[in-house]
Structure formats: C-alpha cells, structure tokens
Amino acid sequence: MECHTMFRTTLTAGVALATALAGPALANDELREYANELFEPIPLSTPDLANGNMVTRQRVDLGAMLFFDPRMSRSGLFSCQSCHNVGTGGVDGLETSIGHGWQAGPRNSPTVFNAVFNVAQFWDGRAADLAEQATGPVQAGVEMNNTPERVIATLNSMQAYVDAFQEAFPGEEDPVTFDNFALAIEAFEATLTTPNSRFDQFLMGADSLDEQELAGLNAFIDQGCAACHAGVNMGGQDYYPFGLVERPGANVLPEGDRGRFAVTETAIDDYVFRAAPLRNIELTAPYFHSGAVWDLEEAVAVMGVAQLGAELSEQEISDIAAFLRTLTGEIPEVVHPVLPTRTADTPLPEPM
C-alpha cells in the first residue's frame, strides 16, 4: 500500500473517532473501551519475528555481544550501543548522533526499545526489519564506516566469536556471515521491549492513571493524535507528512531532509516520515527527526499546530504530556557482555 493511501485512511478513521468522542470527557470505563480499540498493551513475551528469525538464547547472547562491541566499527570506537544506549532510554540523548571522524549524523537516533513493533526501521522506513537495519550503520561512512568483509574478518579472528556463531546457527557449514551478524543483532534487539507501563495497566483494567493523565488521554484521542500514534507502539506503523496542516520552522524541519522521498523518489513522499513511536517518550528527548526540541510540552505544542492545525491550550498541552509520561514501561536490565579477546589476526582500529 502506498504511503499516501495509508495516512489518508488512518486520518479519516481518526477524525471520525475524534468526532465521536468530542464533547465532555468520557467516563473511565468508556474511555478505556475506546482506548482499547486504538491501542494495545506491549506483550510480556518477546514477539515472533515476521522474517522467521528465531529468537533463541544463543542468538540473543551473540547479538548482545555484537551490539556492544565497538570493534564492529572501523575505528574501534563506535558500537550499536553508542547511538542506542540501553541505559538511557535506547537513545544517545543527542540532537543527531556522532559517528566516524566525529561527524554529526543527519537525523536523531530513534530508540531501540520496542523497535521490533515498528512497521519498518529508520525515520524514512528504508529498512524492512531490525536485521536489515543492523547492516546500515555498520557500513555508513558517517556512523561506523566499516565493510561487511572487515566485520567478518574481525569475527573470524576470535575463536570465541566463531564458536558463538556455530551455537547460534547450528547446522550451517559457515555460520560467520554478515547476514547472520544482522540476524543475531535483530534477535537481541527483539528482546528490548518495555511492557507494563501504567497506561498498559489501565488498558488491562487497572485504575492506574490519575485525573490529569485521564484528561490527557481523552485530549490525545479527542484532538486526533491517535490518528497517527496508535497500535502497540503508539506510532511507528505508517508514514505522514511532517507539517500536514502547517509546516514547522526550518529548525524543526530542515529543508534539506526530504524524508521518505529519498527512498521512493515519489513526490507525495516529500517531507514524509514514519510516525514516531511514543512509548517511553519521556526518556527519549530530544524529539523529532531533527532532534531540535528538548521539552516534551513544546513537542506536543508543535505537533498540535503542524499536524492537527490546533493551538492547544496550556492545560491541554500539560494534560497530554502527563498522559504521555504514563507510556514509560519496565526498562529491561541488560548486562554488558564480556567480549572475546582480540588476537594477532584481528584487524587493528584505523585512525579517524
């Protein structure tokens, strides 16, 4: 389905629902019922992967090693963890990430938490799944600046890595491949979910939200935010123009970044981006693909004008932000793995 069909259909449904909900705030049970039509709790177990990748203990453990190992970069300095820090909300907390040669990347790093639930990866959706995504930064000159051949040489130089690949991909004659490198990282990242937020508890029947948070949920639905930010990840499912009603300023929407247009080269995808997932949003500042906004209330106000054409009141902004903070789930405790020791055959880090 083309992106313009998706966002028009979704917006139509969202407007219809917002119209149905307009008026006095809904009673808790009625609000819960409507919310369950729009949103889903994050499951307590790791989801199955659409590409058939098996999330086994061996693949997850190998993937964790690869995720944390800076030797997967040419300089020996940058790892997946550098931009997707599992101790800080799955992000690096920078406007745009810093990579090889201390270059600033073009976009803000999305969180790795719950990324498994997104329809596609990256702001422009250019990677179909987490495995494909894992191959991109390793090779990007502005990020890890490595090559598949050098990655494989690095892995093959350490017997502990060779053994780990054999255990993770049993029966394969030569399991140390770049494809398997990506599948292992995907298996690890699929475990990085954050269930049991207070909002999820509300969806499942608990009285876990206070009066302001309930008002924020009602406003979130009533104003039409849920037209783009719905489903299990509260977003991440479709593509929309940033500035659907009114284009934000160049500091928030840089002129040179045309979003999904670079992937499809279709005019209707100009300045179109995947809707940001809102899970754990209080942990993942700064906001938007530009990383230009650091304050959650300011981000809500920007979206109100740009996407809804609404000048939200200070109370509405405060209420919606209070609701968004209930989306913070249980953060997984990830132990940094002990990594294999380099050998004389391990490629040396190269100066930047």
Side-chain angles (χ1 to χ4, degrees):
M1 181 182 292
E2 295 184 1
C3 70
H4 65 283
T5 303
M6 287 191 291
F7 72 68
R8 284 175 182 167
T9 301
T10 307
L11 285 174
T12 300
V15 170
L17 180 60
T19 301
L21 299 180
L26 295 169
N28 286 8
D29 290 343
E30 188 180 358
L31 181 57
R32 194 192 325 271
E33 181 180 348
Y34 276 115
N36 271 294
E37 293 180 10
L38 293 167
F39 315 112
E40 300 173 45
I42 289 180
L44 297 177
S45 58
T46 301
D48 293 332
L49 299 176
N51 61 5
N53 186 12
M54 295 181 293
V55 185
T56 63
R57 182 75 266 162
Q58 293 82 359
R59 287 192 191 184
V60 170
D61 289 347
L62 172 59
M65 294 163 66
L66 299 171
F67 183 92
F68 281 97
D69 197 334
R71 295 169 297 187
M72 300 304 103
S73 68
R74 183 176 294 274
S75 66
L77 286 175
F78 300 102
S79 67
C80 304
Q81 165 76 354
S82 300
C83 298
H84 305 285
N85 192 315
V86 296
T88 58
V91 299
D92 56 15
L94 301 174
E95 291 190 7
T96 61
S97 296
I98 302 300
H100 189 82
W102 311 118
Q103 300 174 83
R107 293 177 182 159
N108 178 262
S109 287
T111 179
V112 70
F113 289 158
N114 305 309
V116 66
F117 300 117
N118 294 332
V119 68
Q121 305 302 321
F122 296 114
W123 284 97
D124 53 19
R126 66 184 182 274
D129 52 37
L130 287 170
E132 184 177 351
Q133 187 278 333
T135 67
V138 175
Q139 301 178 77
V142 74
E143 297 183 63
M144 297 168 76
N145 195 36
N146 214 341
T147 64
E149 294 76 19
R150 196 173 186 278
V151 168
I152 297 309
T154 299
L155 296 171
N156 276 323
S157 73
M158 292 174 270
Q159 188 60 44
Y161 263 132
V162 175
D163 293 344
F165 270 88
Q166 290 173 343
E167 292 175 4
F169 299 93
E172 296 191 16
E173 183 176 350
D174 181 16
V176 186
T177 66
F178 197 56
D179 284 345
N180 285 347
F181 161 88
L183 290 172
I185 292 177
E186 178 183 50
F188 168 65
E189 292 181 346
T191 69
L192 300 179
T193 59
T194 63
N196 207 34
S197 69
R198 287 197 295 117
F199 178 57
D200 283 355
Q201 294 172 34
F202 171 80
L203 290 176
M204 293 184 285
D207 293 326
S208 51
L209 305 187
D210 66 24
E211 185 176 341
Q212 183 182 27
E213 292 158 354
L214 289 169
L217 170 58
N218 195 83
F220 187 86
I221 297 173
D222 187 62
Q223 290 290 347
C225 307
C228 301
H229 298 283
V232 67
N233 218 8
M234 310 286 288
Q237 297 305 302
D238 289 321
Y239 306 95
Y240 305 92
F242 192 11
L244 183 64
V245 178
E246 181 177 328
R247 181 169 290 189
N251 62 319
V252 175
L253 181 63
E255 289 291 334
D257 189 345
R258 299 174 66 181
R260 192 159 169 76
F261 176 82
V263 179
T264 67
E265 297 184 349
T266 302
I268 199 164
D269 285 336
D270 215 12
Y271 294 100
V272 165
F273 297 86
R274 191 196 63 194
L278 299 182
R279 294 286 184 172
N280 308 298
I281 191 71
E282 69 172 329
L283 307 180
T284 60
Y287 304 113
F288 307 128
H289 66 282
S290 59
V293 175
W294 286 84
D295 181 73
L296 183 55
E297 280 77 3
E298 182 183 352
V300 171
V302 168
M303 291 299 284
V305 173
Q307 302 304 102
L308 306 174
E311 290 281 356
L312 300 174
S313 69
E314 289 187 13
Q315 187 62 59
E316 287 173 320
I317 292 170
S318 179
D319 291 348
I320 291 173
F323 160 65
L324 292 176
R325 292 186 173 98
T326 73
L327 303 180
T328 302
E330 295 178 352
I331 305 302
E333 294 187 10
V334 180
V335 177
H336 194 304
V338 176
L339 302 176
T341 303
R342 72 176 313 277
T343 69
D345 294 328
T346 304
L348 294 175
E350 296 185 11
M352 295 192 298

